[in-house]
Amino acid sequence: MSPAAFRFIVRTGPNPGTAFDIVKERTLLGRDVTCDIVIGDAEVSREHSRLTRTPGGYVIEDLGSTNGTFVNGERIMAPRVLNSGDLVGLSENVTLTFSSTSPETAATVMSTSAAPQTVPPKETPAGKKRPTPAPVPQPEIASDAEPKKRSPWLYAGCGCLVLLVILGVVGYLMDMYMPDVLYAPLKMLGF
């Protein structure tokens, strides 16, 4: 396996399409500038995960990140061997494709992922209905058309704005219909 035989390509998150060649025995992924692969997203931990080259292939492990590391949509709880074409998620915002840089491996991955998956027909005795084959699950592919999560700060700001409008309306109505109640404390102070 040559040093730059694999790479990560950013699918979703900051700078989609950016490729990071894997050239070290251990590659640190995270938000901190000291990481080997820096992902500038607030939901990515400073030191999020580590990729290690082993005789059996590259292994990814989560380093106790807040938002987790995912392989093909499944949150990993232990180190996991990666295969070319695997989707690696760092939180919910960032998705990377782990891919081979060698043409042979890339062509194999492309042809296997592009080929339709079918369930072979089963033989059934005469007169019995053949069961409908179960659908083969397809990997989720993130797209730019997916709705983005709204920030809790947006909801807090909208709530404050609504509260200010309500208080303004109540103050205006009190000034119009009950000025004695509204201005009584000021009159007691001599204003």
Side-chain angles (χ1 to χ4, degrees):
M1 193 177 331
S2 66
F6 288 90
R7 66 174 46 155
F8 276 121
I9 301 171
V10 179
R11 288 179 57 109
T12 60
N15 305 318
T18 303
F20 297 99
D21 287 336
I22 312 235
V23 294
K24 293 177 146 186
E25 294 294 318
R26 289 182 179 214
T27 304
L28 192 60
L29 293 88
R31 193 178 72 232
D32 196 277
V33 294
T34 60
C35 291
D36 301 305
I37 297 177
V38 178
I39 306 293
D41 186 276
E43 289 192 14
V44 174
S45 295
R46 287 186 179 98
E47 291 185 352
H48 198 96
S49 55
R50 178 177 33 234
L51 186 70
T52 307
R53 185 177 13 204
T54 66
Y58 281 98
V59 174
I60 192 160
E61 63 183 306
D62 187 75
L63 299 176
S65 66
T66 304
N67 295 312
T69 301
F70 301 81
V71 175
N72 297 326
E74 179 183 332
R75 188 172 187 154
I76 62 171
M77 299 298 168
R80 179 118 166 234
V81 176
L82 290 178
N83 297 308
S84 185
D86 281 348
L87 295 178
V88 176
L90 307 179
S91 75
E92 292 182 14
N93 293 339
V94 179
T95 307
L96 310 169
T97 302
F98 181 73
S99 66
S100 172
T101 58
S102 70
E104 305 84 36
T105 309
T108 304
V109 170
M110 184 61 116
S111 66
T112 57
S113 64
Q117 298 180 357
T118 58
V119 177
K122 295 182 180 180
E123 295 293 326
T124 58
K128 290 195 174 184
K129 287 186 176 180
R130 184 168 49 177
T132 307
V136 177
Q138 298 293 323
E140 291 185 29
I141 298 175
S143 71
D144 294 334
E146 290 181 9
K148 296 189 178 188
K149 291 177 71 176
R150 299 269 195 261
S151 170
W153 290 106
L154 177 65
Y155 294 117
C158 289
C160 288
L161 184 62
V162 168
L163 183 62
L164 286 173
V165 168
I166 291 171
L167 288 176
V169 169
V170 168
Y172 175 76
L173 292 174
M174 284 184 71
D175 186 41
M176 293 275 299
Y177 298 106
M178 298 187 294
D180 296 335
V181 174
L182 185 62
Y183 297 114
L186 294 174
K187 287 182 181 176
M188 288 174 35
L189 295 172
F191 288 102

